[in-house]
Amino acid sequence: MTSLSSINNNRDIRKLGINFNHWYVVAQISELKNQPLGVTLWNQAIVIYRDNTGNIHALEDRCPHRQVKLSHGKVINNQLECAYHGWRFDTAGECTEVPYLAANQKLPNCKLRNYPVLEKYGFIWIFPGDETLSNTVSPLALPEWEHLNYIVSYTGFECPSHYSFLIENLMDMYHGHLHQNLQAWANPVLQHIDEDENKVHAHYAAQSYYRINREWAVLQLFIPALRQLHPEPLDVSYIYPNWVATLGNDFKICCLFCPVNETTTRAYLIHFTSLNAFDKLHILPVWFRRFVKNISFNAAKGLLNNLVRQDLVMIEEEQQAYLQHPERKNYELNKALVSVQKLIRIKVEKSI
């Protein structure tokens, strides 16, 4: 592990980049239609597209001819064609055709960068770092996405801030004061923090009304009169570069980050509701369990959108306050956030 004492704490956390040697979500699979899709991952413009066999590829989103975006183009015979002059590129980024090339001319000796790309857990992941390391690093595990015992909801959003503001918001359970009746937990108390070179894990003791042990229990989310608080462990983890939280045995929520630049972060918030407490669930026909999972998909999307809407107001104000007065110091009392900043610095220094 990198020694925390060796980290340069004078570097402005709000200007730090990312460690490129990790997998980052850049889109939900359903966002990629028949046309190429342009995305940005820490100031790198990338185009993702499917070839005629359905395989996905990722290249620099620029045509080396006039530097326009290839994401304006289309896929022809498994090659990406520029919309401007029709230059074509294969999946390795090599120029394969120029429509008006004269007989005495050779194809231009230009090559675009191609990126390792994965489809997993309903999302498209890109590895922007050293390609030789892509097989040694795994994306954040989300087995609940496909598991028949979990109901899934998610929302994608753009946060007008540096990614560190969003991570700190998610790691700080005391900001639940903002959400009032929208959240399922209350009265958090930070118990201890575990940290290493890849993650920060904060354990809170809390109370919750969120317990899915009866068919009607989900109504507690919508009818406050039915709620009964009980003690539950609340665990939140920054597993670089993403975030995971669990509340007891019934609730899990994740946030997948796509840092766009110093003042913009794309993110996906995913909510899993466990049905594992129903011990007879496993004897039901698989087709029926899959039917229930599918028709319940995004049942909590409205709740997630409301939570995100409230958070974004505050995070945007934090970012703007920083831009106007970067010299002002925050008086932070939550030790988990101090650990998060240390981890960000460790990861960024490792990638330099």
Side-chain angles (χ1 to χ4, degrees):
M1 176 178 175
T2 302
S3 171
L4 295 183
S5 61
S6 69
I7 299 302
N8 183 358
N9 289 318
N10 293 323
R11 298 186 66 191
D12 192 338
I13 193 76
R14 311 307 177 190
K15 294 182 179 179
L16 290 182
I18 63 173
N19 186 305
F20 292 100
N21 292 322
H22 288 268
W23 289 96
Y24 292 84
V25 161
V26 295
Q28 213 270 334
I29 288 176
S30 62
E31 294 179 75
L32 181 59
K33 311 295 184 182
N34 295 328
Q35 291 295 110
L37 176 65
V39 298
T40 303
L41 175 56
W42 199 252
N43 300 306
Q44 298 182 43
I46 302 170
V47 56
I48 51 179
Y49 65 97
R50 293 189 188 279
D51 62 25
N52 295 341
T53 64
N55 291 321
I56 193 170
H57 306 279
L59 297 174
E60 287 181 74
D61 193 7
R62 67 177 184 89
C63 178
H65 176 214
R66 295 290 183 88
Q67 311 304 320
V68 300
K69 290 183 178 296
L70 286 173
S71 53
H72 298 316
K74 56 186 176 181
V75 179
I76 304 292
N77 297 328
N78 292 330
Q79 298 174 359
L80 190 56
E81 182 184 82
C82 180
Y84 199 6
H85 291 85
W87 288 31
R88 293 184 184 179
F89 300 87
D90 62 18
T91 59
E94 300 276 2
C95 181
T96 59
E97 182 178 339
V98 175
Y100 50 87
L101 192 70
N104 63 344
Q105 289 181 304
K106 295 182 179 180
L107 284 170
N109 184 23
C110 54
K111 182 176 181 179
L112 299 170
R113 180 182 178 184
N114 66 332
Y115 294 81
V117 60
L118 286 176
E119 292 183 80
K120 199 167 187 177
Y121 309 127
F123 293 90
I124 298 170
W125 308 69
I126 282 178
F127 193 89
D130 183 349
E131 185 175 351
T132 63
L133 300 177
S134 62
N135 291 327
T136 68
V137 180
S138 299
L140 180 69
L142 299 174
E144 298 87 356
W145 186 272
E146 299 291 345
H147 199 293
L148 295 180
N149 285 9
Y150 289 86
I151 304 302
V152 182
S153 299
Y154 87 96
T155 189
F157 61 95
E158 190 168 282
C159 181
S161 79
H162 187 268
Y163 67 89
S164 62
F165 284 115
L166 180 54
I167 292 167
E168 291 171 18
N169 166 274
L170 291 166
M171 288 295 292
D172 184 8
M173 293 296 99
Y174 297 124
H175 92 273
H177 178 78
L178 171 68
H179 299 306
Q180 301 296 321
N181 291 332
L182 286 178
Q183 65 183 25
W185 44 265
N187 306 319
V189 177
L190 182 62
Q191 300 288 295
H192 60 83
I193 300 170
D194 297 317
E195 54 189 303
D196 60 31
E197 61 183 5
N198 293 307
K199 69 177 183 297
V200 173
H201 172 83
H203 175 77
Y204 293 82
Q207 292 182 303
S208 172
Y209 57 80
Y210 198 97
R211 179 176 289 172
I212 306 301
N213 57 357
R214 298 182 180 86
E215 286 76 2
W216 55 264
V218 72
L219 294 177
Q220 298 172 94
L221 296 175
F222 309 102
I223 305 176
L226 296 177
R227 298 173 182 174
Q228 295 182 340
L229 287 172
H230 59 275
E232 285 282 18
L234 175 60
D235 294 285
V236 294
S237 300
Y238 179 35
I239 306 173
Y240 193 94
N242 302 299
W243 175 85
V244 179
T246 58
L247 178 62
N249 296 318
D250 301 320
F251 170 92
K252 180 176 180 178
I253 190 166
C254 308
C255 194
L256 309 178
F257 291 85
C258 177
V260 176
N261 53 44
E262 286 187 4
T263 58
T264 308
T265 304
R266 180 75 179 162
Y268 293 87
L269 194 63
I270 313 169
H271 176 284
F272 298 107
T273 300
S274 169
L275 302 179
N276 287 318
F278 302 107
D279 54 5
K280 295 183 179 180
L281 185 65
H282 67 280
I283 68 175
L284 296 174
V286 170
W287 68 265
F288 180 77
R289 294 168 62 192
R290 183 170 289 113
F291 171 76
V292 171
K293 181 181 179 73
N294 289 341
I295 64 169
S296 302
F297 181 72
N298 262 345
K301 186 178 180 70
L303 173 66
L304 294 178
N305 284 337
N306 287 332
L307 289 168
V308 168
R309 191 176 299 113
Q310 291 180 342
D311 279 333
L312 290 184
V313 171
M314 299 300 165
I315 296 172
E316 183 175 9
E317 287 193 10
E318 285 187 277
Q319 176 69 59
Q320 291 304 312
Y322 164 77
L323 292 175
Q324 294 168 18
H325 296 283
E327 78 284 357
R328 288 181 177 173
K329 177 184 177 182
N330 287 350
Y331 291 88
E332 186 53 63
L333 302 180
N334 189 336
K335 295 180 180 179
L337 274 60
V338 176
S339 294
V340 162
Q341 292 193 359
K342 289 178 180 178
L343 178 57
I344 291 173
R345 289 190 169 97
I346 289 173
K347 284 297 187 178
V348 172
E349 289 205 356
K350 279 192 170 184
S351 68
I352 295 175

